[in-house]
Amino acid sequence: MLSGIYVPLITPFDDSGAVAHAALEKLAASVLDQGAAGLVALGTTGEPSTLSAAERRSVVRICREVAASYDAQLIVGDLDLTDGATAALVTVPAFVRPGERGVIAHFEHLAARSEVPLVIYHIPYRTGQPLTAGVLRRLGEHPMIAGVKYATGAVDQDAVSLLGNPPSGFSVLTGDDLYLSPMLALGASGGILASAHLRTASFVSMAASWDRALGHRLAAMSATLFAEPNPTVIKGVLHAKGLIPTPDVRLPLVPATSASVSHALELLE
């Protein structure tokens, strides 16, 4: 069962625009040093759609090697690059809106062919396809579907229902950073959280022992980190703290404004 805090790593770039491999390795080791249960390579935060095939392979290779050195888990957002991974993060098909029957058939098809268990990424405000607790519960009964990254933008009735009666061994990980505290209170087993690039140990502590006051503080920090499109503010803060060589992102994203980065840094301090 997947539990704890997983960090969906950014992809740092150097001054030439290339992937900064050493910075990625150092960042991966840093979050694991602070107690993260695992890494997520090629999640949305890593800007995978802007990476070449070779860059995607290099990112996964680095994350796999670091995770292995810590005996940590690795979730990969690419079904073709799962060698050595714990699980694969797969989204509901975007734009198609195949309906719930189509979603079930799609994931059962992927699960039957995958070499590692799947984690469904449920994010309807991006995919256009909402799923009920009943659908997720049915999918969770499949032996090759390990859990869901639940990111509906709310603590909704389906979350309450699913967490009240999840399938055996099925992990519900929150993907909405602001809602980690209430989702943990309802029974979520952890989270896949971009905000956990920063104050990783506090997020780990929160997942291990729910603390309402700490949850409020972390939610306030997360709000500042998502003031502009993810991962622009996070990269700006990591760069300001000397953890990555540049704050650069690739189009269609543009770097965060100095005001947003400064606000986040003030709250962190």
Side-chain angles (χ1 to χ4, degrees):
M1 186 170 181
L2 302 171
S3 63
I5 298 298
Y6 298 80
V7 182
L9 289 172
I10 59 126
T11 303
F13 302 120
D14 63 22
D15 290 327
S16 72
V19 174
H21 295 113
L24 176 61
E25 182 178 0
K26 185 176 180 181
L27 193 61
S30 174
V31 299
L32 294 178
D33 275 332
Q34 295 179 68
L39 310 172
V40 180
L42 303 181
T44 306
T45 307
E47 304 174 71
S49 64
T50 71
L51 303 178
S52 69
E55 288 173 330
R56 290 162 71 90
R57 288 193 298 271
S58 69
V59 165
V60 172
R61 174 184 56 78
I62 290 168
C63 291
R64 180 174 59 242
E65 291 173 355
V66 174
S69 70
Y70 282 81
D71 196 24
Q73 296 179 331
L74 173 64
I75 301 173
V76 177
D78 188 327
L79 277 171
D80 294 324
L81 297 173
T82 59
D83 183 43
T86 306
L89 184 65
V90 286
T91 63
V92 174
F95 299 104
V96 182
R97 302 188 69 181
E100 292 184 340
R101 290 174 56 243
V103 169
I104 290 170
H106 171 72
F107 281 121
E108 289 179 342
H109 174 80
L110 292 181
R113 288 156 179 77
S114 177
E115 296 182 357
V116 298
L118 306 183
V119 175
I120 297 167
Y121 190 179
H122 179 36
I123 184 164
Y125 55 86
R126 288 186 184 268
T127 66
Q129 177 67 68
L131 300 178
T132 64
V135 168
L136 290 170
R137 195 173 287 117
R138 172 170 170 176
L139 287 168
E141 293 170 352
H142 194 290
M144 286 297 287
I145 298 180
V148 60
K149 178 182 178 182
Y150 199 91
T152 64
V155 181
D156 52 28
Q157 182 58 45
D158 283 307
V160 174
S161 176
L162 178 63
L163 286 164
N165 183 28
S168 178
F170 184 73
S171 300
V172 179
L173 301 166
T174 183
D176 286 316
D177 300 39
L178 271 66
Y179 301 133
L180 174 63
S181 180
M183 288 290 282
L184 289 172
L186 287 168
S189 60
I192 298 176
L193 306 172
S195 299
H197 280 85
L198 300 155
R199 291 191 175 171
T200 311
S202 293
F203 281 98
V204 171
S205 176
M206 184 69 193
S209 179
W210 180 70
D211 179 324
R212 184 174 65 178
L214 176 58
H216 282 302
R217 292 196 298 272
L218 292 175
M221 183 190 77
S222 294
T224 68
L225 296 175
F226 284 86
E228 297 188 38
N230 184 45
T232 60
V233 180
I234 291 172
K235 279 192 161 184
V237 172
L238 290 171
H239 173 63
K241 293 175 73 67
L243 297 173
I244 58 175
T246 74
D248 296 348
V249 290
R250 289 182 178 175
L251 291 172
L253 294 173
V254 293
T257 62
S258 58
S260 291
V261 174
S262 296
H263 186 202
L265 285 167
E266 288 172 6
L267 192 61
L268 280 166
E269 294 303 323

